[in-house]
Amino acid sequence: MSIRSQGTTLFAAILVLVAAAVVLQLWLLTVSMEALLAGEVKTLVPAAAGSTLLLVVDAGLLRYVFRFDRDTRV
Amino acid sequence: MRALGKVARGLPIEWDGDHYVTRREMVKFLTLGSLLLASANWITVVASKLLHRGSKLERQIGLVSDLDRDGSMLFRYPTEQDPCIAVRTAEGKIVAYSQVCTHLSCAVVYDKAEDGLFCPCHHGLFNLQGQPVAGPPTRPLPRITVEQRGDQLYAIGMEG
């Protein structure tokens, strides 16, 4: 399998992972808003921490995409 | 017209390509969305701190003798629009809570038989620690900190 077709499969997989993480973040934001309006403040910090963790995962995958591009173009 | 065609051919981006979003661009766009969502989540944390700071207002709310005579006492704290209830427990301690039920905002009343605060609208019951023990409410009642100074009772703060 060529590097190019490997990259295509890899990027499709990364795109699915990032999209799934964003959907999870959307759900966390919905839960946080409901908790905020209901006065359940204990839920908010874990939800925000979880959302930040997902952001780190997304940023890591994006960095991997950039590095993969850079390495294959050299 | 010919000159324009020449210029158009020289442009680096084809019209079809202009509408094409690559997977890389999509990952970049989603990561930016992820950043916005994480920020929005932290904004809810900050908003909760601002909304639920509680009150430190000090106010005289009544007499201990009135409370002992009736078993419970109604007062308003921290503003005139916030009904509250004070009760003396079996151990002799005075506790006070917001009178607004955390289910659908009906007024709770002291129920001597159940030794708790009863909501007549949907038969919710809170114990004298403010915790829901029966019926539809799931969240505790906001607690008012009270202080006894002689025969006078003061509300000095609110939690939750």
Side-chain angles (χ1 to χ4, degrees):
Chain A
M1 200 186 237
S2 70
I3 291 278
R4 192 177 169 79
S5 60
Q6 274 181 345
T8 306
T9 314
L10 197 65
F11 286 174
I14 286 172
L15 184 59
V16 169
L17 282 174
V18 171
V22 171
V23 170
L24 268 174
Q25 282 185 301
L26 267 171
W27 174 74
L28 281 171
L29 183 61
T30 314
V31 169
S32 296
M33 286 305 292
E34 277 184 22
L36 175 67
L37 294 174
E40 287 169 14
V41 289
K42 277 184 268 179
T43 326
L44 298 176
V45 173
S51 191
T52 308
L53 185 72
L54 289 167
L55 169 66
V56 170
V57 170
D58 283 353
L61 289 169
L62 183 66
R63 185 165 169 263
Y64 180 78
V65 168
F66 282 133
R67 287 182 72 164
F68 187 90
D69 268 351
R70 197 188 57 206
D71 293 347
T72 49
R73 276 176 193 167
V74 170
Chain B
M1 209 55 188
R2 252 169 99 186
L4 191 66
K6 235 180 179 179
V7 171
R9 272 196 301 276
L11 283 171
I13 302 166
E14 296 291 326
W15 183 250
D16 292 339
D18 195 31
H19 294 288
Y20 182 70
V21 180
T22 62
R23 269 171 259 208
R24 290 162 182 78
E25 283 168 332
M26 192 64 187
V27 171
K28 260 195 267 182
F29 172 74
L30 285 174
T31 308
L32 181 66
S34 173
L35 176 69
L36 292 174
L37 287 169
S39 309
N41 250 309
W42 284 108
I43 288 170
T44 61
V45 176
V46 175
S48 79
K49 298 275 181 235
L50 295 174
L51 289 173
H52 300 99
R53 267 190 299 192
S55 173
K56 295 282 173 209
L57 181 75
E58 191 175 302
R59 178 187 280 187
Q60 200 246 326
I61 53 170
L63 301 172
V64 179
S65 50
D66 291 343
L67 175 67
D68 288 338
R69 190 186 61 230
D70 301 329
S72 68
M73 182 179 74
L74 301 181
F75 61 98
R76 293 186 181 259
Y77 184 84
T79 71
E80 283 303 310
Q81 281 74 47
D82 302 305
C84 301
I85 185 165
V87 180
R88 191 183 279 282
T89 64
E91 298 84 43
K93 205 175 141 197
I94 297 171
V95 290
Y97 298 98
S98 165
Q99 212 192 354
V100 180
C101 178
T102 53
H103 174 226
L104 286 177
S105 303
C106 290
V108 296
V109 290
Y110 178 51
D111 187 331
K112 221 171 213 172
E114 295 284 354
D115 196 31
L117 298 167
F118 177 70
C119 178
C121 290
H122 302 96
H123 297 255
L125 185 70
F126 298 85
N127 62 19
L128 290 183
Q129 284 79 51
Q131 298 297 325
V133 287
T138 54
R139 289 177 287 121
L141 291 169
R143 189 188 182 101
I144 316 290
T145 313
V146 289
E147 200 175 271
Q148 188 178 341
R149 296 175 193 165
D151 190 39
Q152 293 193 331
L153 204 55
Y154 283 82
I156 56 169
M158 187 174 187
E159 301 159 25

